[in-house]
Amino acid sequence: AQKVTQAQTEISVVEKEDVTLDCVYETRDTTYYLFWYKQPPSGELVFLIRRNSFDEQNEISGRYSWNFQKSTSSFNFTITASQVVDSAVYFCALSEPPTSGTYKYIFGTGTRLKVLA
Amino acid sequence: AAGVIQSPRHLIKEKRETATLKCYPIPRHDTVYWYQQGPGQDPQFLISFYEKMQSDKGSIPDRFSAQQFSDYHSELNMSSLELGDSALYFCASSLRGWDEQYFGPGTRLTVT
């Protein structure tokens, strides 16, 4: 069965600190896709990154970086030098090739990040 | 770049009323998804359409139905509304099934 666990319910940091958001997933498929989304207080869901199961290369985009480790079934997200604008709920999501139908997401419960000035 | 459009953005209904939510996917995207996000919860998959055909159903109540039209827009119809239906309803679309989904701004439904 598919499952995504974000054990950190809420994290508070002071501006300019680095912060890592954890995501652990469960799947029986060898092919799957992992995603991170940001949900700011305004409510929209903003796509951040997609990672395929066959590509373990880590990625950096500005202050954001992602560490994908299949051996530990983790896909962690690090924000370097956090800013107040990073305050949001961050969701990790998993999708698998369907036997029928579409690639629906299974979301984790989200981590609320508060960056204090 | 064009984004997913949802209307209305806010909707207030009374119990037992009906509601219709609309979604206009990004042009050329072939798959549309609907999700429901309760207060403080993660989004839950409701239903999806691939090339205008219903493709998958999640935890969607029988009181809800949805369809996708020839112009690819989709509507989520909700009847006999209950207080527990109060939530943020997202529509998302993707270019291909395995691609990332792009979400609309959501419709916030309040049932009183």
Side-chain angles (χ1 to χ4, degrees), chain A residues 2 6 17 20-21 27-28 46 55 60-61 65 92-93 97 103 108 115:
Chain A
Q2 306 174 45
Q6 294 180 257
E17 285 186 353
T20 295
L21 309 182
T27 177
R28 288 176 294 190
V46 179
D55 179 7
I60 299 174
S61 177
S65 62
C92 181
Y103 286 73
V115 182

Side-chain angles (χ1 to χ4, degrees), chain A:
Chain A
Q2 306 174 45
K3 185 178 181 182
V4 177
T5 301
Q6 294 180 257
Q8 303 152 309
T9 304
E10 185 169 316
I11 301 175
S12 292
V13 298
V14 177
E15 207 170 19
K16 298 183 184 177
E17 285 186 353
D18 299 347
V19 59
T20 295
L21 309 182
D22 298 333
C23 173
V24 174
Y25 61 92
E26 294 177 29
T27 177
R28 288 176 294 190
D29 271 298
T30 55
T31 299
Y32 51 90
Y33 304 87
L34 296 164
F35 307 83
W36 275 95
Y37 283 82
K38 175 183 180 180
Q39 187 171 41
S42 50
E44 71 271 25
L45 281 165
V46 179
F47 166 72
L48 296 177
I49 191 171
R50 180 188 75 182
R51 176 60 71 223
N52 307 327
S53 57
F54 43 87
D55 179 7
E56 283 195 75
Q57 186 175 0
N58 292 325
E59 184 156 337
I60 299 174
S61 177
R63 296 184 297 107
Y64 294 172
S65 62
W66 291 269
N67 184 355
F68 177 33
Q69 291 196 343
K70 289 178 73 171
S71 60
T72 56
S73 297
S74 65
F75 185 40
N76 297 336
F77 173 31
T78 297
I79 301 174
T80 302
S82 59
Q83 300 176 1
V84 172
V85 294
D86 296 327
S87 298
V89 179
Y90 290 86
F91 288 99
C92 181
L94 167 71
S95 73
E96 299 170 342
T99 51
S100 63
T102 52
Y103 286 73
K104 57 184 177 291
Y105 283 175
I106 298 298
F107 283 91
T109 49
T111 296
R112 181 178 300 277
L113 174 64
K114 293 184 177 180
V115 182
L116 308 173

Side-chain angles (χ1 to χ4, degrees), chain B residues 2 11 38 50 87 89 93 101 111-112:
Chain B
L11 192 58
Y50 172 70
Y89 290 84
S93 70
Q101 296 175 23
V111 181
T112 61

Side-chain angles (χ1 to χ4, degrees), chain B residues 6-104:
Chain B
Q6 289 188 249
S7 66
R9 294 292 305 278
H10 301 274
L11 192 58
I12 300 175
K13 292 286 186 178
E14 295 187 355
K15 284 196 313 182
R16 292 180 288 278
E17 285 192 323
T18 61
T20 297
L21 280 53
K22 296 185 178 182
C23 168
Y24 296 84
I26 294 172
R28 295 189 299 112
H29 281 198
D30 63 12
T31 308
V32 170
Y33 311 80
W34 286 96
Y35 292 83
Q36 177 193 58
Q37 185 179 26
Q41 298 181 0
D42 55 288
Q44 296 290 317
F45 171 74
L46 292 177
I47 194 167
S48 62
F49 294 86
Y50 172 70
E51 283 293 342
K52 296 171 281 186
M53 298 288 290
Q54 182 181 307
S55 185
D56 211 346
K57 291 180 75 171
S59 49
I60 183 170
D62 292 340
R63 300 177 289 107
F64 294 6
S65 64
Q67 55 183 324
Q68 189 175 24
F69 295 86
S70 58
D71 64 352
Y72 288 87
H73 94 273
S74 178
E75 295 183 3
L76 178 65
N77 300 293
M78 310 160 71
S79 63
S80 302
L81 287 169
E82 302 173 356
L83 296 178
D85 296 329
S86 295
L88 191 53
Y89 290 84
F90 286 106
C91 172
S93 70
S94 64
L95 182 60
R96 296 164 302 194
W98 59 89
D99 283 337
E100 58 272 16
Q101 296 175 23
Y102 289 92
F103 286 77

